[in-house]
Amino acid sequence: MTAGSGVLLVLLSLSGALRAHNGDLTARETCKAGFSEEDYTALISQNILEGEKVLKVKFSSCLGTKGTHYETNSMDFKVGADGTVFATRELRIPSEQVAFTVTAWDHQTAERWDAAVRLLVAQTSSTHSGHKKGKKNTVPDPVQPPKDTLLPWPQRQSSNGLRRQKRDWVIPPINVPENSRGPFPQQLVRIRSDKDNDIPIRYSITGVGADQPPMEVFSIDSMSGRMYVTRPMDREERASYHLRAHAVDMNGNKVENPIDLYIYVIDMNDNRPEFLNQVYNGSVDEGSKPGTYVMTVTANDADDATTANGMVRYRIVTQTPQSPSQNMFTINSETGDIVTVAAGLDREKVQQYMVIIQATDMEGNLNYGLSNTATAIITVTDVNDNPPEFTASTYAGEVPENRVEMVVANLTVMDRDQPHSPNWNAVYRIISGDPSGHFSVRTDPTTNEGMVTVVKAVDYELNRAFMLTVMVSNQAPLASGIQMSFQSTAGVTISVMDINEAPYFPSNHKLIRLEEGVPTGTVLTTFSAVDPDRFMQQAVRYSKLSDPANWLHINATNGQISTAAVLDRESLYIKNNVYEATFLAADNGIPPASGTGTLQIYLIDINDNAPELLPKEAQVCEKPSLNAINITAADADVDPNIGPYVFELPFVPASVRNNWTVTRLNGDYAQLSLRVLHLEAGVYDVPITVTDSGNPPLSHTSIIKVKVCPCDDNGDCTTVGAVAAAGLGTGAIVAILICIVMLLTMVLLFVMWMKRREKERHTKQLLIDPEDDVRDNILKYDEEGGGEEDQDYDLSQLQQPEAMEHVLSKAPGVRRVDERPVGAEPQYPVRPVVPHPGDIGDFINEGLRAADNDPTAPPYDSLLVFDYEGSGSTAGSVSSLDSSSSGDQDYDYLNDWGPRFKKLADMYGGGEED
């Protein structure tokens, strides 16, 4: 800035607005305690010494300043008893401003008041600094500006040549209360440059709230420099504005550098606390001690939280029900934590509490603060503080013997805890009276009753009654300090009913051993049953239930078993040498009962089966040195009544031993071979005697059929040799071949005869082509078809019928084709196989005469149906149409057309006579 630069003054009009606002507050009552200002601003240097005073706050109390104490929320600044704010230590302020709160409180009334302090750091090139206390600025200039005037730009001396050193000013913030009632526009400050004495100056402002959204919140008179607010402010919408003031001449040239204007919206208590939820749900265990945490409620206030306007306090308004005390809960006024304050919570008496919570700002001052309420629903949760108790001391039941999974008694209990919870669900346990574990007590999940159930069958003959002791508890353990009740134990008496039990065989699947082949009537064993009903006089009778081979007999009275036939170990009914039979034992009780028993007979083998020779047939070459036959034996018996076997050739007939020999290979096999050098080919029956090793041994002579045949070099029988060995001689073979040749010849002759017959049949036909046959045939040139219901055409009916069967068997009615009359057919001339050309005319004439006199040749003398439309035609009938001709038609000329039209002439020509 040059030496000729002027001074721009800012005239403060905000104090009037603040005084109007304070006037509104003081108008409520004659005397009201509080700070003289709600917001104090001062300019300070960046470096501050310890104990340096920065400003002084003024507090007035209706009862005097005695007993009023000051404190701050800053560790760097404190307030003296006279309201002087000073630094507690040497400081260097790194930022542009410092803000903190000064609080005044009274010991007698415990009331508190707050004021905001903002210390703005002055950026200057000299050691000279300015300070502001409250609304007053002290500037060490030779010339003091008018009252309420700020000098944002430096002044210069001109006439005497002395020049002030340039320095920068910081304009203190402008405070605007929110929700002001106007009138608007309301003046805030006036900006003036000292050059306006020399040249006209135009003033303007820029920034958010001026030429940036929100637009035109602030305005300035371009000529006078007065800045206005145009409408009420809302701190919750925007808490501060940063504007820049400009001064230019009439040509738009900058006269002064732009200055920064900070406008702060002063908070008013215009927002109620709002709870996050209107209904809060919490829970606490019954029997909880005082001080137990329950839940936390939270309310938010949109006002400034650093002032009393946004400081929310909580309190409980009402509690429902007020049992057992009207103050069962308390709430932390600052945090909103709800805790128990009294003992005696009992879910069985009160299950739920409804607590109304009030949140008030202004630190809970009900006179000035705004309030809101919410509901806290506190559920008292159940603890297992009530042991289950039986409703009776004894219970009784009865059970039939040998029954399981049967409920014999229901035990009822009472539990005052929450139903269907682990604190209520009952668990039953038998503590005495059932050492064998016959019973179990199960819990009914719906009724919580104990169901005494039989899990192991009881026997009346062993125990006629049971005395059980049952104890009941819960799934969850009892709460601390709660003892079991005497009524948690009960006695259960169970009577056992005697029923008729089935007899049983003590040794079921009884096994006995004996040799096979014992004679009929032999007593094998006594298979008796036992009746468990010792206290019933009953008789047991026996019978067979299963005897596959019908070999056994049982005495109905005592169960003695004897043989009814010879037992054979080799029978099909034997499996692994064991024969199995089942017997029934039944008593005469009411109702009768029966039991079954199985008898197993292990049969010991005896040598009762002679061995059989294997194989039954064999083949051997006619030369003995080429091969031999391996033979063995099969025996139905078992060791030691089987091999080793002895193979022998009988002495009779002598030819056997002369032609054959048997050589032993081992105990089970031998070899049969030719003894002679050559044996004629054929089939030979060779008897061989086989003897086993039983005691006594058994022998059996078996016949083996041996085919002796010539063999090739490999030892295999040749084809001719095989045939010869089969017993067919050369004559028989020749006879078979002759028969085969004769059969083939007969087949060939039959085929040739059939072909010749077919050829003759074709040569007997007419020489002319059937299509050129000049006999009278009906030629259909066009057929429009029948009606809608007659669309099935049988074109085969248009041909001349070859037989009469289909005509004779046809049902009466309208026919589409002419019907061939039934009668004898005339004999047509036979067509020669090879006719002479001169005989063709005679043949034709003869055929024509025969056709003229043939009543069976078409056209037949019958009603001809040329068109049939079917029954029920949708086309309707044309019979109602009148004839176009007048008078009767003369049909006498039909008599001149020959014998073929004679019937037609009789039908139409003699109409009048008829």
Side-chain angles (χ1 to χ4, degrees):
M1 180 180 291
T2 63
S5 299
V7 177
L8 181 64
L9 302 179
V10 179
L11 304 180
L12 297 182
S13 298
L14 178 61
S15 59
L18 293 177
R19 285 192 296 270
H21 173 61
N22 293 334
D24 292 339
L25 296 177
T26 56
R28 299 179 185 176
E29 52 187 45
T30 304
C31 179
K32 179 181 177 181
F35 287 96
S36 61
E37 305 290 343
E38 291 184 355
D39 192 345
Y40 293 88
T41 305
L43 292 175
I44 61 174
S45 63
Q46 191 172 15
N47 297 316
I48 301 178
L49 300 177
E50 182 179 357
E52 182 178 350
K53 299 177 182 180
V54 294
L55 60 85
K56 183 176 182 181
V57 296
K58 182 179 181 181
F59 178 80
S60 62
S61 174
C62 297
L63 303 177
T65 59
K66 184 179 181 179
T68 303
H69 298 269
Y70 300 96
E71 59 185 25
T72 68
N73 60 354
S74 174
M75 300 296 294
D76 298 328
F77 299 94
K78 295 297 181 182
V79 183
D82 60 348
T84 301
V85 179
F86 59 91
T88 59
R89 59 188 178 90
E90 185 177 353
L91 298 173
R92 177 177 178 82
I93 309 300
S95 59
E96 296 181 354
Q97 68 174 357
V98 177
F100 54 90
T101 302
V102 176
T103 302
W105 59 284
D106 193 338
H107 280 295
Q108 298 178 357
T109 62
E111 290 187 88
R112 303 169 69 91
W113 298 265
D114 294 328
V117 176
R118 289 185 177 88
L119 303 178
L120 304 178
V121 178
Q123 304 295 331
T124 178
S125 59
S126 64
T127 59
H128 205 102
S129 62
H131 297 275
K132 173 178 179 281
K133 294 184 180 181
K135 295 295 180 177
K136 299 180 180 180
N137 289 347
T138 303
V139 182
D141 291 330
V143 180
Q144 288 287 343
K147 185 179 180 181
D148 295 337
T149 299
L150 294 177
L151 300 178
W153 289 291
Q155 292 179 332
R156 300 289 184 269
Q157 292 185 1
S158 58
S159 60
N160 55 7
L162 296 178
R163 301 179 60 185
R164 290 189 54 193
Q165 188 178 5
K166 178 182 177 181
R167 66 175 182 177
D168 293 333
W169 283 73
V170 177
I171 305 302
I174 303 170
N175 297 320
V176 181
E178 66 172 334
N179 303 326
S180 175
R181 297 181 180 181
F184 296 100
Q186 183 178 14
Q187 182 177 340
L188 297 180
V189 294
R190 181 185 178 186
I191 301 174
R192 188 177 65 84
S193 172
D194 58 355
K195 288 185 179 182
D196 61 357
N197 296 325
D198 300 330
I199 60 174
I201 302 297
R202 298 181 64 88
Y203 303 96
S204 63
I205 56 175
T206 59
V208 176
D211 59 347
Q212 299 177 21
M215 307 285 287
E216 299 180 352
V217 177
F218 302 96
S219 64
I220 189 171
D221 188 324
S222 61
M223 300 305 295
S224 64
R226 291 184 174 86
M227 192 174 74
Y228 301 91
V229 60
T230 62
R231 59 191 180 194
M233 309 293 288
D234 187 357
R235 191 202 67 85
E236 288 70 41
E237 181 179 345
R238 191 176 184 88
S240 64
Y241 296 86
H242 177 201
L243 302 178
R244 304 200 78 182
H246 305 270
V248 297
D249 59 15
M250 301 305 292
N251 294 324
N253 298 319
K254 182 174 68 173
V255 176
E256 304 284 1
N257 291 327
I259 61 172
D260 293 323
L261 300 177
Y262 293 93
I263 302 173
Y264 293 98
V265 182
I266 301 174
D267 182 47
M268 306 293 291
N269 189 20
D270 58 346
N271 290 279
R272 293 180 180 274
E274 295 291 339
F275 283 95
L276 299 181
N277 302 298
Q278 280 303 112
V279 178
Y280 290 84
N281 290 284
S283 62
V284 61
D285 290 340
E286 62 175 330
S288 297
K289 297 179 179 179
T292 303
Y293 172 80
V294 180
M295 68 169 71
T296 299
V297 296
T298 304
N300 294 328
D301 197 315
D303 292 325
D304 190 356
T306 61
T307 66
N309 298 334
M311 296 182 180
V312 180
R313 300 294 183 264
Y314 304 92
R315 72 186 188 95
I316 294 178
V317 180
T318 59
Q319 167 195 306
T320 305
Q322 298 181 356
S323 173
S325 171
Q326 62 180 359
N327 294 319
M328 296 297 297
F329 306 94
T330 185
I331 186 171
N332 188 304
S333 62
E334 294 184 1
T335 62
D337 294 340
I338 300 177
V339 297
T340 59
V341 71
L345 290 173
D346 191 350
R347 191 203 64 85
E348 287 72 37
K349 295 180 180 179
V350 179
Q351 298 183 2
Q352 193 177 80
Y353 289 91
M354 182 178 295
V355 179
I356 305 299
I357 308 298
Q358 184 183 56
T360 306
D361 57 16
M362 297 299 291
E363 297 183 284
N365 191 322
L366 299 179
N367 294 326
Y368 307 111
L370 302 178
S371 301
N372 214 336
T373 59
T375 302
I377 299 177
I378 302 174
T379 302
V380 181
T381 56
D382 183 49
V383 298
N384 194 13
D385 57 346
N386 294 282
E389 297 177 349
F390 285 104
T391 58
S393 58
T394 58
Y395 297 87
E398 58 181 9
V399 57
E401 60 176 337
N402 301 323
R403 292 281 297 275
V404 294
E405 297 301 325
M406 177 181 178
V407 178
V408 298
N410 289 329
L411 312 181
T412 57
V413 296
M414 179 184 64
D415 195 321
R416 292 186 296 274
D417 289 321
Q418 185 175 359
H420 305 288
S421 68
N423 299 330
W424 179 82
N425 296 334
V427 178
Y428 299 88
R429 184 165 56 93
I430 300 175
I431 59 177
S432 65
D434 185 23
S436 300
H438 291 284
F439 303 95
S440 174
V441 184
R442 301 169 182 172
T443 304
D444 188 322
T446 304
T447 63
N448 213 29
E449 294 181 353
M451 301 179 294
V452 182
T453 307
V454 183
V455 295
K456 182 179 178 181
V458 296
D459 191 351
Y460 176 81
E461 285 71 29
L462 298 178
N463 298 98
R464 299 188 182 183
F466 291 87
M467 299 293 295
L468 308 179
T469 301
V470 181
M471 185 177 68
V472 63
S473 59
N474 293 123
Q475 289 181 352
L478 289 175
S480 178
I482 305 299
Q483 301 295 329
M484 291 293 295
S485 171
F486 291 106
Q487 297 179 347
S488 298
T489 304
V492 182
T493 303
I494 300 176
S495 301
V496 181
M497 297 184 296
D498 189 17
I499 62 173
N500 185 25
E501 299 177 78
Y504 67 94
F505 291 89
S507 58
N508 203 352
H509 283 75
K510 183 177 181 180
L511 178 65
I512 62 174
R513 302 171 63 93
L514 69 150
E515 290 186 349
E516 64 174 330
V518 295
T520 303
T522 302
V523 176
L524 302 181
T525 185
T526 299
F527 196 27
S528 59
V530 177
D531 192 347
D533 297 317
R534 295 179 296 172
F535 302 99
M536 298 182 183
Q537 300 299 325
Q538 297 178 150
V540 179
R541 298 189 64 82
Y542 303 91
S543 61
K544 288 194 303 182
L545 189 63
S546 173
D547 184 10
N550 202 21
W551 285 345
L552 304 177
H553 171 75
I554 187 168
N555 189 298
T557 304
N558 57 17
Q560 189 179 68
I561 297 176
S562 58
T563 59
V566 177
L567 278 62
D568 186 6
R569 192 200 64 84
E570 290 75 31
S571 172
L572 297 177
Y573 300 104
I574 301 298
K575 294 181 180 180
N576 298 325
N577 301 330
V578 176
Y579 179 73
E580 192 170 275
T582 305
F583 299 92
L584 183 71
D587 60 20
N588 58 352
I590 300 176
S594 61
T596 60
T598 301
L599 177 65
Q600 294 179 332
I601 303 174
Y602 185 89
L603 295 178
I604 301 174
D605 183 48
I606 63 174
N607 194 18
D608 57 346
N609 292 279
E612 293 286 339
L613 182 66
L614 293 177
K616 299 297 183 182
E617 295 181 356
Q619 180 176 287
V620 69
C621 294
E622 58 185 3
K623 294 181 180 182
S625 60
L626 294 178
N627 55 12
I629 302 171
N630 292 329
I631 58 176
T632 185
D635 198 327
D637 293 324
V638 295
D639 191 56
N641 297 320
I642 50 175
Y645 301 104
V646 177
F647 300 91
E648 297 178 313
L649 294 174
F651 292 95
V652 178
S655 60
V656 175
R657 283 183 171 265
N658 293 334
N659 297 332
W660 305 92
T661 181
V662 174
T663 304
R664 179 184 177 88
L665 298 178
N666 54 38
D668 295 329
Y669 289 90
Q671 199 172 64
L672 176 64
S673 58
L674 288 173
R675 179 185 293 273
V676 296
L677 298 177
H678 180 269
L679 188 63
E680 184 180 355
V683 179
Y684 296 87
D685 292 337
V686 181
I688 298 177
T689 301
V690 183
T691 304
D692 60 21
S693 299
N695 187 17
L698 293 180
S699 300
H700 183 262
T701 301
S702 301
I703 301 297
I704 178 173
K705 290 184 177 295
V706 181
K707 295 180 181 180
V708 179
C709 61
C711 297
D712 54 15
D713 295 339
N714 296 326
D716 299 327
C717 285
T718 62
T719 304
V720 178
V723 174
L728 295 177
T730 305
I733 295 174
V734 171
I736 292 173
L737 293 177
I738 293 174
C739 291
I740 293 173
V741 171
M742 292 178 64
L743 180 61
L744 293 175
T745 303
M746 293 176 62
V747 171
L748 180 61
L749 292 175
F750 179 77
V751 171
M752 295 176 63
W753 178 77
M754 291 295 296
K755 290 185 176 182
R756 181 179 179 83
R757 180 181 176 89
E758 181 70 18
K759 183 177 181 181
E760 290 177 354
R761 187 175 66 84
H762 284 291
T763 58
K764 290 180 181 180
Q765 296 180 356
L766 293 175
L767 292 177
I768 61 176
D769 191 78
E771 295 181 358
D772 298 331
D773 193 353
V774 296
R775 290 180 295 174
D776 294 338
N777 292 324
I778 297 177
L779 301 178
K780 275 183 178 271
Y781 293 98
D782 189 16
E783 181 179 4
E784 295 182 355
E788 292 79 1
E789 299 180 3
D790 185 21
Q791 298 298 329
D792 297 327
Y793 301 107
D794 187 5
L795 298 180
S796 64
Q797 300 297 324
L798 300 177
Q799 305 298 328
Q800 179 176 338
E802 298 293 338
M804 302 299 295
E805 287 77 14
H806 74 284
V807 177
L808 296 177
S809 61
K810 194 170 184 180
V814 178
R815 295 180 174 86
R816 288 189 48 79
V817 299
D818 303 337
E819 294 188 358
R820 187 176 184 178
V822 180
E825 299 182 3
Q827 295 296 324
Y828 286 85
V830 178
R831 189 175 187 177
V833 177
V834 183
H836 190 273
D839 297 335
I840 294 177
D842 296 337
F843 175 77
I844 292 175
N845 292 331
E846 291 179 4
L848 180 59
R849 285 194 297 273
D852 289 339
N853 297 323
D854 185 5
T856 63
Y860 313 127
D861 291 338
S862 61
L863 176 63
L864 300 180
V865 179
F866 294 97
D867 192 10
Y868 176 62
E869 295 184 356
S871 62
S873 173
T874 59
S877 175
V878 296
S879 61
S880 61
L881 298 178
D882 295 334
S883 176
S884 60
S885 61
S886 60
D888 295 334
Q889 182 76 25
D890 186 8
Y891 297 101
D892 293 339
Y893 60 87
L894 295 176
N895 295 322
D896 300 334
W897 288 6
R900 294 183 180 274
F901 296 90
K902 183 178 182 301
K903 188 172 183 179
L904 188 62
D906 292 341
M907 292 175 59
Y908 287 91
E912 293 180 358
E913 297 178 0
D914 295 340

